[in-house]
Amino acid sequence: MRTPPRIAPSILAADFAHLGRDIEAISDHVDLLHVDVMDGHFVPNISLGPPVIASLRGSTDLYLDCHLMISDPLSYLEPIKQAGADGVTVHIEAVPNPNPVAAEARLLALDFGLVVNPPTPISAIEPYVEMASMVVVMSVHPGYGGQSFIADVLPKIEHLREIIDSQALPTDIEVDGGIDLRTVGPAREAGADVFVAGTSVFRADDPVEAVKKLRTILNRE
Ligand code: DX5
Ligand code: ZN
């Protein structure tokens, strides 16, 4: 079940001193906003948390897609919801049994999704695809923006697409990391629905033009 492709700029590549300005500049042209939350434990880097999400919520109506690169997502769902998140995605490597986190998300009326790192097979999340509104296939190792797309994950996206389509599930596939004008086409062909792009959008000379070019490729089917 293919949905129209959606573009989710990752604010990790924006200028944190001028986040509102950077988001405002692209907001009419994008579908959702990807917010990378890192705890310095699950990944080596630290990024942002609920206070920044609350500020974002106060300045944009865009869907806030919060990617939780944190070891203990269960403890943080409530403050993240209160801050104004629309959806959370949690790593299967952090919570091998995601049922309690999914249940908490449901209680809080947060969209819930699962993320797989490049070395993690799709079989790790296969039993949970049905309860996920989105599955995120990492196409870089999590923790940093600006890395190169790992093309080896394309067969994983294809496999996930087959699972979702064969069961007619409404689950979206998001691809995260290294998405640019060269990699977005192959990721779409493999079966992704939502495309996270940090560096290629926010570090472009003209971020709106960068989004438009990505969309032109995505609409070329
Ligand atoms: C990596 C993050 C990504 C990253 C994408 O840990 O999950 O969302 O910000 O940025 P680019 O597009 O620069 O790879
Ligand atoms: Zn991310």
Side-chain angles (χ1 to χ4, degrees), residues 10 12 34-38 67 69 136 138 174 176-177 196:
S10 163
L12 195 61
H34 186 82
V35 181
D36 286 309
V37 178
M38 303 179 188
H67 175 193
M69 286 163 273
V136 188
M138 292 304 298
E174 181 176 82
D176 184 7
V196 176

Side-chain angles (χ1 to χ4, degrees), residues 28-70:
D28 287 346
H29 303 274
V30 306
D31 303 289
L32 53 171
L33 213 54
H34 186 82
V35 181
D36 286 309
V37 178
M38 303 179 188
D39 65 356
H41 186 258
F42 179 70
V43 287
N45 201 4
I46 296 176
S47 56
L48 56 87
V52 175
I53 296 171
S55 295
L56 293 169
R57 181 73 297 155
S59 69
T60 181
D61 292 331
L62 282 168
Y63 183 101
L64 299 179
D65 162 35
C66 296
H67 175 193
L68 307 187
M69 286 163 273
I70 65 181

Side-chain angles (χ1 to χ4, degrees), residues 1-4 6 122 125-126 129-130 132-133 135 156-174 187-193 221:
M1 204 186 299
R2 299 303 296 274
T3 52
R6 276 160 287 156
I122 292 300
I125 48 110
E126 195 167 349
V129 173
E130 202 180 345
S133 63
V135 173
K156 285 169 60 178
I157 298 176
E158 288 168 5
H159 180 198
L160 186 57
R161 184 82 260 155
E162 281 167 19
I163 292 170
I164 289 169
D165 288 353
S166 68
Q167 298 175 48
L169 298 173
T171 310
D172 282 321
I173 301 176
E174 181 176 82
R188 177 65 177 168
E189 273 162 39
D193 304 291
E221 290 189 80

Side-chain angles (χ1 to χ4, degrees), residues 144-156:
Y144 299 92
Q147 303 179 71
S148 298
F149 184 82
I150 300 170
D152 287 353
V153 306
L154 290 170
K156 285 169 60 178

